[in-house]
Amino acid sequence: MIVIFTSVSKMVLMEKKLIIFDLDGTLIDTVKDLNKATNFALKKHHYPTLSVERTTNDIGNGVAKLIERSVPVGTSKEEYLEILNEFKEYYCEHYFESSLPYEGVKDTLVELKKRGYKLAVVSNKFNEGANRLVTKYFPDIFEHIQGLEDRFSPKPSSDMVNFVLAKLGNNATETLYVGDTNIDYETAKNSNVDIVLVSYGYRTKEYLQKNIKNPHIIDHMWELLDILR
C-alpha cells in the first residue's frame, strides 16, 4: 500500500508496533568498504577497479548481485564465483574500516525503543555481515536482525519481512518499513507494509520521486519521531 501522509494516514501510523529497517544506506553508510572489497577481488583477476559512485549504484540486491554487476561482461561463472568468494573473505576482515552510522540514527533508534516500538533489521547483506555490523553499532536495540540466507529469496521478495513478522508476532498492518531504495519500496509493497524512504542513502531524492509514485521521503532519520508521534 502506498502511504500518502494526510492527517488520516498519520493516525494509522500512530498505531504501528514494529518498525523494520533496511541496513546499507539506511542505518549505516557501508559503501566505501563494499567498494574496497569489490576492487580487491577485481584486482586479483586483473580487472579494472570501480569508483565508489559505481558501487553505490550497484548496491541493493545483495553481494552476489553486486559482484555480478561489477565483473566485466563475459566473465565465466567459475571466475565470477571465485571473485565473489574473494570479495566475501576480504569484506569479512574489513567490515568496520569506513562504515559508520548516519547522523541521528542511533539516537532515533534509542528513542523509538524507549517509546515501546519493536525494532528489526531486514537486509540483503549476507546474514553474518548484517549481524556483525548492527550489533557493533547498535547493541541491544533490535529484536531481530535478518540478513540474507539460502532459505530466503533476496529483497524485493517478501520472504525475510514475513519471517520477521511471524517471529516477532506482528502483522503487516501494524508494521512500518524504512529504507532508501526502490528495492525497499518494492519489498514493502510485496509485504503489504507501509514504507518511509530516506533521502540520504544510496538513491537520491530526485531518483526516488521520479521512480516511485507518491513516496513519503524523510531527509533525516529523526523525522520518524514526528511521523510516529
Side-chain angles (χ1 to χ4, degrees), residues 7 33 50 58 90 126 130 144 150 156 177 179-180 188 199 227:
S7 59
D33 287 330
L50 304 176
D58 289 342
Y90 181 93
F126 55 100
H144 186 72
D150 290 341
Y177 188 103
D180 70 303
S199 66
I227 291 172

Side-chain angles (χ1 to χ4, degrees), residues 33-52 54-55 58 63-73 75-76 79-91:
D33 287 330
L34 290 167
N35 176 255
K36 288 178 185 176
T38 300
N39 285 337
F40 170 83
L42 291 173
K43 279 182 182 179
K44 288 194 69 173
H45 292 255
H46 308 289
Y47 288 143
T49 57
L50 304 176
S51 67
V52 172
R54 166 66 184 272
T55 300
D58 289 342
V63 296
K65 183 62 72 172
L66 170 63
I67 298 305
E68 180 183 317
R69 291 167 175 163
S70 301
V71 298
V73 175
T75 300
S76 69
E79 190 172 22
Y80 157 76
L81 291 173
E82 287 179 13
I83 294 171
L84 176 60
N85 288 331
E86 289 158 358
F87 165 91
K88 287 183 177 180
E89 288 175 5
Y90 181 93
Y91 188 62

Side-chain angles (χ1 to χ4, degrees), residues 5 15 25 46 63 80 101 116 125 133 176 208 229:
F5 281 74
E15 299 173 0
H46 308 289
V63 296
Y80 157 76
K125 186 184 293 294
L133 277 166
L176 177 66
L208 296 172
R229 184 175 301 165

